[in-house]
């Protein structure tokens, strides 16, 4: 019975840690997805010819932090405008008033407000560029709150991890404490430290393996039946289940070592 309770305690701790780990991974995925949408739009002088536009594009591609440059012609701009705002306004005009533009995708390391602002200034300085725009307010908001969210995430993770760890350690200590008379007797008859410790470590290994297996089963069933409609939105890395099982084994071994060390000279 004690072995089952120990395994269930470890499984509960691993499930809590697993839930937090998945929340952390998916928070990072959300942040990366939002940052990847940071795009700088460069409007070009309509009098520029094809050769000048190609030269301007090459100049943009050489800038540090630029990952990709996509050209949007005046005709494509009209189609985009019609899809987003309807065609009634454009139909009243005799000519196309929309200029050609370049859409700049930033490298991952430059997807922040400081880099975006620097690149926008460099783009504005290029000959033939009329205007450079990007979602500055959104980028500033992300820079302001993403760091706070990550710091809070790490803090909560440490609290949860330490809480789960101490729950398991204290439970194993109680189990070992109940067997303290046996340990004292073994020491009196001459049993050495390794002879006493190894059986508890083996027990810890089995408890950790069992707890890890229960945790893996919990998440497997949860993703198969409860979270099935949301699987496209959630990230479940390939290493999650092996890592959960390995963490259970390590937790079981460490808890057993800490628990028995106090009663072995």
């Amino acid at each position: 019975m004690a072995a089952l309770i120990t395994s269930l305690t470890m499984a509960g701790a691993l499930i809590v840690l697993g839930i937090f780990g998945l929340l952390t991974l998916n928070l990072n995925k959300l942040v990366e997805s939002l940052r990847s949408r940071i795009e700088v739009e460069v409007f070009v002088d309509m009098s520029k010819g094809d050769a000048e536009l190609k030269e301007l594009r090459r100049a943009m591609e050489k800038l540090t932090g630029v990952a990709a440059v996509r050209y949007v012609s005046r005709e494509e701009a009209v189609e985009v405008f019609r899809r987003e705002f309807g065609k009634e306004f454009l139909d009243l005009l005799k000519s196309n008033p929309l200029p050609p533009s370049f859409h700049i995708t930033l490298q991952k390391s430059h997807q922040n407000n400081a880099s975006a602002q620097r690149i926008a200034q460099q783009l504005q300085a290029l000959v033939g560029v009329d205007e450079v725009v990007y979602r500055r307010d959104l980028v500033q908001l992300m820079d302001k709150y993403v760091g706070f969210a990550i710091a809070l995430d790490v803090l909560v993770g440490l609290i949860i991890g330490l809480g789960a760890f101490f729950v398991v350690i204290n439970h194993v200590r109680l189990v070992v404490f109940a067997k303290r008379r046996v340990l004292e007797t073994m020491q009196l008859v001459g049993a050495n430290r390794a002879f006493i410790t190894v059986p508890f470590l083996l027990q810890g290994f089995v408890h950790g393996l069992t707890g890890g297996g229960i945790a893996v089963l919990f998440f497997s069933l949860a993703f198969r039946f409860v979270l099935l409609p949301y699987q496209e939105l959630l990230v479940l890395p390939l290493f999650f289940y092996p890592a959960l099982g390995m963490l259970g084994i390590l937790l079981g071994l460490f808890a057993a070592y800490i628990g028995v060390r106090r009663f072995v000279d």
Side-chain angles (χ1 to χ4, degrees):
M1 188 65 180
L4 178 61
I5 294 175
T6 302
S7 297
L8 291 176
T9 302
M10 291 188 179
L14 291 171
I15 288 171
V16 172
L17 289 173
I19 291 174
F20 172 77
L22 288 177
L23 288 175
T24 301
L25 288 172
N26 283 276
L27 175 62
N28 288 332
K29 177 192 174 184
L30 176 62
V31 171
E32 289 181 2
S33 176
L34 291 174
R35 288 193 180 279
S36 67
R37 297 180 185 179
I38 299 176
E39 193 174 64
V40 181
E41 194 169 3
V42 182
F43 294 100
V44 183
D45 186 349
M46 288 192 289
S47 65
K48 296 298 178 181
D50 291 342
E52 293 171 306
L53 291 175
K54 289 180 181 178
E55 184 64 30
L56 186 58
R57 179 171 187 161
R58 282 194 292 268
M60 293 177 183
E61 291 173 339
K62 291 179 181 178
L63 294 178
T64 302
V66 173
V69 179
R70 182 171 62 90
Y71 176 67
V72 179
S73 66
R74 298 178 65 192
E75 292 73 20
E76 290 175 319
V78 168
E79 293 302 319
V80 172
F81 189 93
R82 283 176 174 166
R83 284 198 303 267
E84 295 185 359
F85 303 103
K87 61 180 181 179
E88 292 79 7
F89 174 73
L90 287 174
D91 289 343
L92 297 176
L93 302 175
K94 295 181 180 180
S95 61
N96 179 5
L98 302 177
S101 62
F102 290 96
H103 289 209
I104 311 294
T105 303
L106 304 182
Q107 294 175 358
K108 189 174 182 180
S109 58
H110 290 73
Q111 292 171 352
N112 55 73
N113 184 56
S115 297
Q117 189 171 2
R118 175 183 55 79
I119 293 172
Q121 292 172 350
Q122 292 175 337
L123 291 168
Q124 187 67 64
L126 296 176
V127 177
V129 172
D130 273 349
E131 185 180 7
V132 178
V133 296
Y134 70 97
R135 297 289 302 276
R136 180 177 299 179
D137 293 342
L138 176 62
V139 178
Q140 289 177 340
L141 192 66
M142 287 175 56
D143 281 359
K144 182 178 181 181
Y145 290 107
V146 165
F148 172 76
I150 292 176
L152 181 63
D153 181 74
V154 171
L155 177 62
V156 173
L158 287 174
I159 294 173
I160 291 175
L162 290 174
F165 173 77
F166 282 116
V167 166
V168 172
I169 292 295
N170 287 330
H171 179 77
V172 173
R173 276 182 172 175
L174 290 175
V175 172
V176 176
F177 181 76
K179 299 180 180 180
R180 67 189 185 281
R181 300 302 180 194
V182 176
L183 296 177
E184 291 172 356
T185 301
M186 293 175 68
Q187 287 180 308
L188 288 174
V189 298
N192 59 30
R193 184 185 183 94
F195 185 84
I196 298 173
T197 304
V198 168
F200 285 95
L201 292 178
L202 290 175
Q203 267 191 342
F205 175 86
V206 173
H207 292 159
L209 184 63
T210 305
I214 294 172
V216 168
L217 180 63
F218 171 85
F219 283 105
S220 179
L221 294 175
F223 271 88
R224 180 168 297 182
F225 297 107
V226 180
L227 301 175
L228 184 61
Y230 310 101
Q231 285 190 2
E232 293 183 359
L233 302 175
L234 297 174
V235 173
L236 182 64
L238 294 175
F239 64 82
F240 178 74
Y241 290 144
L244 202 60
M246 185 60 65
L247 183 61
I249 292 173
L250 293 176
L251 183 61
L253 288 172
F254 190 70
Y257 174 76
I258 294 296
V260 76
R261 184 183 63 174
R262 179 181 175 184
F263 301 98
V264 179
D265 295 332

